[in-house]
Amino acid sequence: MSTKYCKESRVIRTSRIFPNDVNNHNTLFGGRMMSDIDQVASISAARHSRRECVTASTDSVDFLHPVRPTDSVSFESYVSWTGVSSMEIFVKVIAEDLKSGECRIAATALLTFVALDKFQRPTAVPKVIPETEEERKLHETGEARARMRRERKQQSKELAAYLTTKTVIAVC
């Protein structure tokens, strides 16, 4: 299987914050940010694998600083580590105050995508080669995160065995 550089899967999308994008705190709605994170990550996964891909997990989303209506918001994603058919995608969310030009990391996220073959089964993906200091740091710690994902998934499966599918209606 071939290899690709992290930069070959890089996606950058910048947008403004509008009134319908904010919550009651007048900051970017977290669910909106999470949707945008998943969208750019899915493009990175497809660019890297050149396959149809599905989100296997959202491993983490850490909200670090609020994004305000006076900011622009940029989503930068790329494949940071690969397994056999899985790809870890790193997403960095950068807020820029459009008046002062000050930039800050608003959020970071790690997601896992799986590439699928024409029968919708997992298929092999190219290994990834990091170049920058940021890419190298994410790549060298990727295997440990993959182990944690496998353990967490097993725990989720074990917990699911105890969960009910019956809906309980609460009356106030």
Side-chain angles (χ1 to χ4, degrees):
M1 175 70 29
S2 64
T3 57
K4 291 186 175 181
Y5 291 99
C6 293
K7 67 184 174 190
E8 293 180 75
S9 64
R10 190 172 311 277
V11 172
I12 300 172
R13 187 177 91 195
T14 304
S15 57
R16 292 191 74 113
I17 306 304
F18 291 105
N20 63 331
D21 298 324
V22 298
N23 58 27
N24 57 319
H25 303 288
N26 203 34
T27 60
L28 181 61
F29 179 58
R32 170 63 191 267
M33 183 185 291
M34 291 170 67
S35 174
D36 290 339
I37 286 169
D38 191 56
Q39 286 183 33
V40 296
S42 72
I43 296 168
S44 288
R47 279 186 178 169
H48 183 78
S49 66
R50 295 299 174 192
R51 299 279 189 169
E52 186 175 329
C53 299
V54 293
T55 309
S57 66
T58 300
D59 304 325
S60 65
V61 178
D62 294 308
F63 300 99
L64 305 174
H65 293 283
V67 180
R68 306 193 188 303
T70 54
D71 296 330
S72 69
V73 63
S74 295
F75 297 84
E76 180 181 344
S77 65
Y78 56 88
V79 174
S80 55
W81 183 86
T82 56
V84 176
S85 61
S86 64
M87 296 162 280
E88 179 186 79
I89 315 296
F90 173 68
V91 183
K92 176 173 40 177
V93 182
I94 303 167
E96 176 190 0
D97 183 301
L98 290 171
K99 293 198 171 150
S100 71
E102 176 195 346
C103 293
R104 62 198 179 280
I105 304 296
T108 60
L110 288 160
L111 299 89
T112 302
F113 280 75
V114 173
L116 303 175
D117 65 15
K118 64 182 178 180
F119 302 107
Q120 303 298 299
R121 291 186 302 233
T123 190
V125 298
K127 293 295 178 194
V128 67
I129 303 168
E131 295 179 284
T132 69
E133 184 178 346
E134 176 182 288
E135 292 167 354
R136 283 191 295 274
K137 179 64 173 174
L138 287 161
H139 188 267
E140 69 189 30
T141 55
E143 180 61 40
R145 285 189 300 276
R147 272 193 306 279
M148 288 188 297
R149 279 191 290 275
R150 287 189 295 272
E151 291 170 10
R152 189 181 68 241
K153 186 173 183 178
Q154 182 58 40
Q155 291 170 354
S156 291
K157 285 180 178 182
E158 291 168 5
L159 176 61
Y162 294 95
L163 302 178
T164 180
T165 56
K166 294 180 183 176
T167 303
V168 178
I169 299 174
V171 180
C172 297

